[in-house]
Amino acid sequence: LKEEGFFKSKVTINVATSGENETVSTDIFYNVEPGQKARFGEILLDNTSKIPTKKIRKKLSFSTGEEWNLSKVKASLKKIEAMHMFKDVRFSSILQPENSDDLTIPIRLTITQDKPREFKAHVGGSIFGIGIKREPDDVGFSCHLGGSYIVKNPFMLADHVQVGAAITQNKQTAELMYKCFEPFEIPFE
């Protein structure tokens, strides 16, 4: 029930026994009173990153005053993690004391910045030409070697710049890629 926003639900149990001697049966009855549904309270953001707070808040699927919905919290978590800018993203609810009638649940979002730069290398290989009725010259092995260098948030837009290169036996490739999660906010001058 808490996942659905019923934080003050009450469950009572009634036990009824009937019969005598060897034919005794016991019935257990659960009475559930869900109570009033909670609402999202204040959204507190602990942001240790250099990403502007308003960019992070845009990724939230809920707002203060809406009915509590755990699936909206989970969707927000996925959107923020999909930015690939943070080492750690956590939501926690700040529950009110049991004797409180307040059904607004403040949410704390804690974000820890990831490394601003990242280098990735990859090495691999593949076998080709294996099959029925192949000539020995048609079978081979191909090596792959490559890497990329990523700079996160260079323009303070929750963006990435990635430079990559790969080498195989037959070709060499290089790429420069820019990812901006909110392209309409790029400051053109």
Side-chain angles (χ1 to χ4, degrees):
L1 286 173
K2 286 184 179 180
E3 286 187 9
E4 297 299 319
F6 298 102
F7 291 94
K8 304 280 183 171
S9 58
K10 291 185 173 68
V11 178
T12 55
I13 302 171
N14 294 320
V15 178
T17 306
S18 60
E20 296 180 11
N21 299 332
E22 295 177 13
T23 57
V24 175
S25 65
T26 302
D27 294 319
I28 301 173
F29 300 95
Y30 293 92
N31 183 30
V32 179
E33 295 177 36
Q36 194 174 9
K37 192 166 186 174
R39 296 192 168 280
F40 286 106
E42 182 181 3
I43 301 166
L44 308 167
L45 183 58
D46 293 336
N47 180 9
T48 63
S49 75
K50 293 181 180 177
I51 306 295
T53 300
K54 74 176 194 172
K55 296 235 178 267
I56 296 168
R57 286 189 181 273
K58 279 184 167 183
K59 301 294 180 190
L60 299 178
S61 301
F62 59 89
S63 59
T64 301
E66 283 184 28
E67 279 193 348
W68 177 266
N69 184 326
L70 186 61
S71 62
K72 286 186 175 185
V73 175
K74 289 178 180 178
S76 300
L77 182 64
K78 283 184 180 181
K79 286 182 195 176
I80 294 169
E81 286 176 339
M83 295 172 74
H84 302 288
M85 303 294 282
F86 310 108
K87 181 170 43 173
D88 187 35
V89 179
R90 277 184 274 142
F91 279 98
S92 57
S93 53
I94 304 168
L95 295 179
Q96 305 298 336
E98 281 295 320
N99 58 0
S100 171
D101 290 332
D102 189 6
L103 288 173
T104 56
I105 310 297
I107 297 290
R108 180 175 304 281
L109 170 58
T110 305
I111 293 177
T112 306
Q113 182 172 340
D114 200 1
K115 295 177 242 166
R117 291 169 184 76
E118 186 175 336
F119 177 75
K120 293 182 179 181
H122 55 271
V123 177
S126 60
I127 299 173
F128 59 88
I130 295 179
I132 300 173
K133 297 183 181 178
R134 296 274 182 177
E135 296 297 321
D137 293 342
D138 293 341
V139 178
F141 180 78
S142 175
C143 295
H144 309 276
L145 176 65
S148 59
Y149 182 71
I150 303 167
V151 179
K152 299 176 184 177
N153 200 31
F155 302 110
M156 302 301 285
L157 295 168
D159 51 351
H160 290 167
V161 173
Q162 180 172 336
V163 177
I167 300 171
T168 65
Q169 287 175 324
N170 300 328
K171 68 179 184 176
Q172 297 81 33
T173 59
E175 65 180 8
L176 173 63
M177 186 169 34
Y178 178 74
K179 292 181 189 177
C180 184
F181 297 97
E182 313 231 357
F184 299 107
E185 292 187 24
I186 296 174
F188 292 105
E189 293 186 24

